[in-house]
PDB file of all heavy atoms in Angstrom:
ATOM      1  N   ASP A 213      85.380 117.576  72.715  1.00 92.00           N
ATOM      2  CA  ASP A 213      86.644 117.945  73.345  1.00 92.00           C
ATOM      3  C   ASP A 213      87.232 116.726  74.029  1.00 92.00           C
ATOM      4  O   ASP A 213      86.501 115.867  74.533  1.00 92.00           O
ATOM      5  CB  ASP A 213      86.421 119.062  74.369  1.00 92.00           C
ATOM      6  CG  ASP A 213      87.727 119.665  74.836  1.00 92.00           C
ATOM      7  OD1 ASP A 213      88.349 119.087  75.742  1.00 92.00           O
ATOM      8  OD2 ASP A 213      88.135 120.706  74.294  1.00 92.00           O
ATOM      9  N   VAL A 214      88.564 116.658  74.060  1.00 94.00           N
ATOM     10  CA  VAL A 214      89.243 115.495  74.624  1.00 94.00           C
ATOM     11  C   VAL A 214      88.941 115.307  76.108  1.00 94.00           C
ATOM     12  O   VAL A 214      89.113 114.212  76.651  1.00 94.00           O
ATOM     13  CB  VAL A 214      90.761 115.588  74.360  1.00 94.00           C
ATOM     14  CG1 VAL A 214      91.415 116.593  75.306  1.00 94.00           C
ATOM     15  CG2 VAL A 214      91.432 114.229  74.476  1.00 94.00           C
ATOM     16  N   TRP A 215      88.479 116.363  76.796  1.00 95.00           N
ATOM     17  CA  TRP A 215      88.107 116.215  78.199  1.00 95.00           C
ATOM     18  C   TRP A 215      87.132 115.046  78.372  1.00 95.00           C
ATOM     19  O   TRP A 215      87.221 114.279  79.328  1.00 95.00           O
ATOM     20  CB  TRP A 215      87.437 117.486  78.720  1.00 95.00           C
ATOM     21  CG  TRP A 215      88.331 118.651  78.946  1.00 95.00           C
ATOM     22  CD1 TRP A 215      89.529 118.903  78.343  1.00 95.00           C
ATOM     23  CD2 TRP A 215      88.092 119.742  79.839  1.00 95.00           C
ATOM     24  NE1 TRP A 215      90.050 120.080  78.799  1.00 95.00           N
ATOM     25  CE2 TRP A 215      89.193 120.621  79.719  1.00 95.00           C
ATOM     26  CE3 TRP A 215      87.060 120.065  80.713  1.00 95.00           C
ATOM     27  CZ2 TRP A 215      89.289 121.803  80.449  1.00 95.00           C
ATOM     28  CZ3 TRP A 215      87.155 121.239  81.447  1.00 95.00           C
ATOM     29  CH2 TRP A 215      88.258 122.099  81.316  1.00 95.00           C
ATOM     30  N   GLN A 216      86.198 114.942  77.442  1.00 94.00           N
ATOM     31  CA  GLN A 216      85.141 113.933  77.565  1.00 94.00           C
ATOM     32  C   GLN A 216      85.643 112.519  77.302  1.00 94.00           C
ATOM     33  O   GLN A 216      84.905 111.561  77.506  1.00 94.00           O
ATOM     34  CB  GLN A 216      84.006 114.269  76.610  1.00 94.00           C
ATOM     35  CG  GLN A 216      83.306 115.576  76.948  1.00 94.00           C
ATOM     36  CD  GLN A 216      82.284 115.964  75.895  1.00 94.00           C
ATOM     37  OE1 GLN A 216      82.527 115.855  74.695  1.00 94.00           O
ATOM     38  NE2 GLN A 216      81.122 116.420  76.347  1.00 94.00           N
ATOM     39  N   ALA A 217      86.893 112.400  76.849  1.00 95.00           N
ATOM     40  CA  ALA A 217      87.476 111.071  76.668  1.00 95.00           C
ATOM     41  C   ALA A 217      87.975 110.496  77.991  1.00 95.00           C
ATOM     42  O   ALA A 217      88.272 109.310  78.088  1.00 95.00           O
ATOM     43  CB  ALA A 217      88.620 111.128  75.664  1.00 95.00           C
ATOM     44  N   VAL A 218      88.090 111.343  79.009  1.00 96.00           N
ATOM     45  CA  VAL A 218      88.396 110.857  80.358  1.00 96.00           C
ATOM     46  C   VAL A 218      87.094 110.302  80.946  1.00 96.00           C
ATOM     47  O   VAL A 218      86.049 110.946  80.873  1.00 96.00           O
ATOM     48  CB  VAL A 218      88.937 111.993  81.250  1.00 96.00           C
ATOM     49  CG1 VAL A 218      89.162 111.494  82.679  1.00 96.00           C
ATOM     50  CG2 VAL A 218      90.230 112.555  80.663  1.00 96.00           C
ATOM     51  N   LYS A 219      87.139 109.125  81.495  1.00 95.00           N
ATOM     52  CA  LYS A 219      85.927 108.514  82.029  1.00 95.00           C
ATOM     53  C   LYS A 219      85.333 109.410  83.119  1.00 95.00           C
ATOM     54  O   LYS A 219      86.041 109.819  84.046  1.00 95.00           O
ATOM     55  CB  LYS A 219      86.219 107.116  82.565  1.00 95.00           C
ATOM     56  CG  LYS A 219      86.530 106.112  81.456  1.00 95.00           C
ATOM     57  CD  LYS A 219      86.712 104.709  81.990  1.00 95.00           C
ATOM     58  CE  LYS A 219      86.932 103.725  80.839  1.00 95.00           C
ATOM     59  NZ  LYS A 219      87.137 102.342  81.313  1.00 95.00           N
ATOM     60  N   PRO A 220      84.054 109.731  83.013  1.00 94.00           N
ATOM     61  CA  PRO A 220      83.437 110.686  83.942  1.00 94.00           C
ATOM     62  C   PRO A 220      83.534 110.280  85.415  1.00 94.00           C
ATOM     63  O   PRO A 220      83.573 111.130  86.293  1.00 94.00           O
ATOM     64  CB  PRO A 220      81.991 110.756  83.471  1.00 94.00           C
ATOM     65  CG  PRO A 220      81.766 109.519  82.658  1.00 94.00           C
ATOM     66  CD  PRO A 220      83.080 109.219  82.021  1.00 94.00           C
ATOM     67  N   ALA A 221      83.588 108.986  85.669  1.00 94.00           N
ATOM     68  CA  ALA A 221      83.682 108.526  87.061  1.00 94.00           C
ATOM     69  C   ALA A 221      84.952 109.032  87.739  1.00 94.00           C
ATOM     70  O   ALA A 221      84.993 109.181  88.965  1.00 94.00           O
ATOM     71  CB  ALA A 221      83.651 106.995  87.115  1.00 94.00           C
ATOM     72  N   ARG A 222      85.983 109.335  86.950  1.00 93.00           N
ATOM     73  CA  ARG A 222      87.234 109.815  87.535  1.00 93.00           C
ATOM     74  C   ARG A 222      87.052 111.175  88.206  1.00 93.00           C
ATOM     75  O   ARG A 222      87.829 111.545  89.089  1.00 93.00           O
ATOM     76  CB  ARG A 222      88.332 109.916  86.463  1.00 93.00           C
ATOM     77  CG  ARG A 222      88.737 108.597  85.825  1.00 93.00           C
ATOM     78  CD  ARG A 222      89.137 107.547  86.822  1.00 93.00           C
ATOM     79  NE  ARG A 222      90.211 108.016  87.703  1.00 93.00           N
ATOM     80  CZ  ARG A 222      90.331 107.695  88.978  1.00 93.00           C
ATOM     81  NH1 ARG A 222      89.446 106.902  89.556  1.00 93.00           N
ATOM     82  NH2 ARG A 222      91.342 108.158  89.693  1.00 93.00           N
ATOM     83  N   VAL A 223      86.048 111.940  87.772  1.00 93.00           N
ATOM     84  CA  VAL A 223      85.810 113.259  88.382  1.00 93.00           C
ATOM     85  C   VAL A 223      84.485 113.291  89.133  1.00 93.00           C
ATOM     86  O   VAL A 223      83.932 114.353  89.415  1.00 93.00           O
ATOM     87  CB  VAL A 223      85.864 114.378  87.320  1.00 93.00           C
ATOM     88  CG1 VAL A 223      87.277 114.540  86.796  1.00 93.00           C
ATOM     89  CG2 VAL A 223      84.891 114.126  86.178  1.00 93.00           C
ATOM     90  N   GLY A 224      83.951 112.113  89.441  1.00 92.00           N
ATOM     91  CA  GLY A 224      82.744 112.039  90.262  1.00 92.00           C
ATOM     92  C   GLY A 224      81.444 112.196  89.506  1.00 92.00           C
ATOM     93  O   GLY A 224      80.395 112.442  90.120  1.00 92.00           O
ATOM     94  N   LEU A 225      81.453 112.029  88.182  1.00 92.00           N
ATOM     95  CA  LEU A 225      80.235 112.137  87.385  1.00 92.00           C
ATOM     96  C   LEU A 225      79.820 110.766  86.876  1.00 92.00           C
ATOM     97  O   LEU A 225      80.662 109.876  86.691  1.00 92.00           O
ATOM     98  CB  LEU A 225      80.460 113.065  86.183  1.00 92.00           C
ATOM     99  CG  LEU A 225      80.812 114.529  86.465  1.00 92.00           C
ATOM    100  CD1 LEU A 225      81.146 115.236  85.150  1.00 92.00           C
ATOM    101  CD2 LEU A 225      79.664 115.238  87.169  1.00 92.00           C
ATOM    102  N   THR A 226      78.541 110.608  86.638  1.00 92.00           N
ATOM    103  CA  THR A 226      78.075 109.385  85.981  1.00 92.00           C
ATOM    104  C   THR A 226      78.169 109.533  84.469  1.00 92.00           C
ATOM    105  O   THR A 226      78.278 108.546  83.742  1.00 92.00           O
ATOM    106  CB  THR A 226      76.622 109.073  86.375  1.00 92.00           C
ATOM    107  OG1 THR A 226      75.793 110.206  86.077  1.00 92.00           O
ATOM    108  CG2 THR A 226      76.528 108.762  87.869  1.00 92.00           C
ATOM    109  N   ALA A 227      78.124 110.762  83.988  1.00 94.00           N
ATOM    110  CA  ALA A 227      78.272 111.048  82.564  1.00 94.00           C
ATOM    111  C   ALA A 227      78.676 112.509  82.415  1.00 94.00           C
ATOM    112  O   ALA A 227      78.329 113.348  83.261  1.00 94.00           O
ATOM    113  CB  ALA A 227      76.978 110.786  81.811  1.00 94.00           C
ATOM    114  N   TRP A 228      79.429 112.803  81.367  1.00 94.00           N
ATOM    115  CA  TRP A 228      79.754 114.197  81.110  1.00 94.00           C
ATOM    116  C   TRP A 228      78.486 114.941  80.715  1.00 94.00           C
ATOM    117  O   TRP A 228      77.651 114.402  79.985  1.00 94.00           O
ATOM    118  CB  TRP A 228      80.800 114.308  79.999  1.00 94.00           C
ATOM    119  CG  TRP A 228      82.177 113.962  80.477  1.00 94.00           C
ATOM    120  CD1 TRP A 228      82.824 112.768  80.322  1.00 94.00           C
ATOM    121  CD2 TRP A 228      83.068 114.810  81.207  1.00 94.00           C
ATOM    122  NE1 TRP A 228      84.058 112.814  80.914  1.00 94.00           N
ATOM    123  CE2 TRP A 228      84.248 114.059  81.460  1.00 94.00           C
ATOM    124  CE3 TRP A 228      82.994 116.126  81.675  1.00 94.00           C
ATOM    125  CZ2 TRP A 228      85.339 114.575  82.156  1.00 94.00           C
ATOM    126  CZ3 TRP A 228      84.086 116.642  82.365  1.00 94.00           C
ATOM    127  CH2 TRP A 228      85.237 115.883  82.602  1.00 94.00           C
ATOM    128  N   PRO A 229      78.286 116.169  81.176  1.00 92.00           N
ATOM    129  CA  PRO A 229      77.036 116.887  80.906  1.00 92.00           C
ATOM    130  C   PRO A 229      76.912 117.287  79.441  1.00 92.00           C
ATOM    131  O   PRO A 229      77.912 117.485  78.738  1.00 92.00           O
ATOM    132  CB  PRO A 229      77.142 118.132  81.795  1.00 92.00           C
ATOM    133  CG  PRO A 229      78.620 118.358  81.938  1.00 92.00           C
ATOM    134  CD  PRO A 229      79.232 116.985  81.983  1.00 92.00           C
ATOM    135  N   HIS A 230      75.682 117.383  78.979  1.00 91.00           N
ATOM    136  CA  HIS A 230      75.431 117.904  77.639  1.00 91.00           C
ATOM    137  C   HIS A 230      75.522 119.428  77.704  1.00 91.00           C
ATOM    138  O   HIS A 230      74.812 120.073  78.480  1.00 91.00           O
ATOM    139  CB  HIS A 230      74.039 117.497  77.143  1.00 91.00           C
ATOM    140  CG  HIS A 230      73.650 118.159  75.865  1.00 91.00           C
ATOM    141  ND1 HIS A 230      74.218 117.826  74.660  1.00 91.00           N
ATOM    142  CD2 HIS A 230      72.750 119.160  75.614  1.00 91.00           C
ATOM    143  CE1 HIS A 230      73.706 118.586  73.714  1.00 91.00           C
ATOM    144  NE2 HIS A 230      72.812 119.398  74.257  1.00 91.00           N
ATOM    145  N   ILE A 231      76.407 119.978  76.914  1.00 91.00           N
ATOM    146  CA  ILE A 231      76.613 121.421  76.911  1.00 91.00           C
ATOM    147  C   ILE A 231      75.898 122.004  75.697  1.00 91.00           C
ATOM    148  O   ILE A 231      76.171 121.601  74.561  1.00 91.00           O
ATOM    149  CB  ILE A 231      78.115 121.777  76.851  1.00 91.00           C
ATOM    150  CG1 ILE A 231      78.883 121.037  77.953  1.00 91.00           C
ATOM    151  CG2 ILE A 231      78.307 123.283  76.953  1.00 91.00           C
ATOM    152  CD1 ILE A 231      78.402 121.306  79.349  1.00 91.00           C
ATOM    153  N   PRO A 232      74.952 122.920  75.921  1.00 90.00           N
ATOM    154  CA  PRO A 232      74.196 123.475  74.789  1.00 90.00           C
ATOM    155  C   PRO A 232      75.091 124.210  73.800  1.00 90.00           C
ATOM    156  O   PRO A 232      76.123 124.779  74.169  1.00 90.00           O
ATOM    157  CB  PRO A 232      73.196 124.427  75.459  1.00 90.00           C
ATOM    158  CG  PRO A 232      73.736 124.684  76.816  1.00 90.00           C
ATOM    159  CD  PRO A 232      74.541 123.502  77.202  1.00 90.00           C
ATOM    160  N   LYS A 233      74.709 124.168  72.540  1.00 86.00           N
ATOM    161  CA  LYS A 233      75.464 124.838  71.491  1.00 86.00           C
ATOM    162  C   LYS A 233      75.559 126.325  71.820  1.00 86.00           C
ATOM    163  O   LYS A 233      74.587 126.946  72.223  1.00 86.00           O
ATOM    164  CB  LYS A 233      74.766 124.640  70.138  1.00 86.00           C
ATOM    165  CG  LYS A 233      75.658 124.922  68.945  1.00 86.00           C
ATOM    166  CD  LYS A 233      75.000 124.466  67.665  1.00 86.00           C
ATOM    167  CE  LYS A 233      75.925 124.684  66.480  1.00 86.00           C
ATOM    168  NZ  LYS A 233      75.324 124.197  65.216  1.00 86.00           N
ATOM    169  N   GLY A 234      76.733 126.892  71.611  1.00 87.00           N
ATOM    170  CA  GLY A 234      76.953 128.293  71.930  1.00 87.00           C
ATOM    171  C   GLY A 234      77.660 128.505  73.247  1.00 87.00           C
ATOM    172  O   GLY A 234      78.154 129.595  73.532  1.00 87.00           O
ATOM    173  N   THR A 235      77.719 127.460  74.077  1.00 91.00           N
ATOM    174  CA  THR A 235      78.449 127.532  75.348  1.00 91.00           C
ATOM    175  C   THR A 235      79.749 126.768  75.214  1.00 91.00           C
ATOM    176  O   THR A 235      79.761 125.634  74.712  1.00 91.00           O
ATOM    177  CB  THR A 235      77.613 126.926  76.501  1.00 91.00           C
ATOM    178  OG1 THR A 235      76.388 127.630  76.618  1.00 91.00           O
ATOM    179  CG2 THR A 235      78.380 126.989  77.812  1.00 91.00           C
ATOM    180  N   ASP A 236      80.850 127.382  75.597  1.00 93.00           N
ATOM    181  CA  ASP A 236      82.141 126.711  75.544  1.00 93.00           C
ATOM    182  C   ASP A 236      82.068 125.420  76.359  1.00 93.00           C
ATOM    183  O   ASP A 236      81.658 125.437  77.524  1.00 93.00           O
ATOM    184  CB  ASP A 236      83.229 127.628  76.104  1.00 93.00           C
ATOM    185  CG  ASP A 236      84.621 127.018  75.992  1.00 93.00           C
ATOM    186  OD1 ASP A 236      84.914 126.077  76.752  1.00 93.00           O
ATOM    187  OD2 ASP A 236      85.395 127.478  75.140  1.00 93.00           O
TER     188      ASP A 236
END
Side-chain angles (χ1 to χ4, degrees):
D213 192 277
V214 76
W215 287 25
Q216 295 174 317
V218 176
K219 290 184 176 179
R222 296 306 305 145
V223 292
L225 298 174
T226 55
W228 284 99
H230 172 72
I231 308 302
K233 198 169 183 178
T235 301
D236 184 287

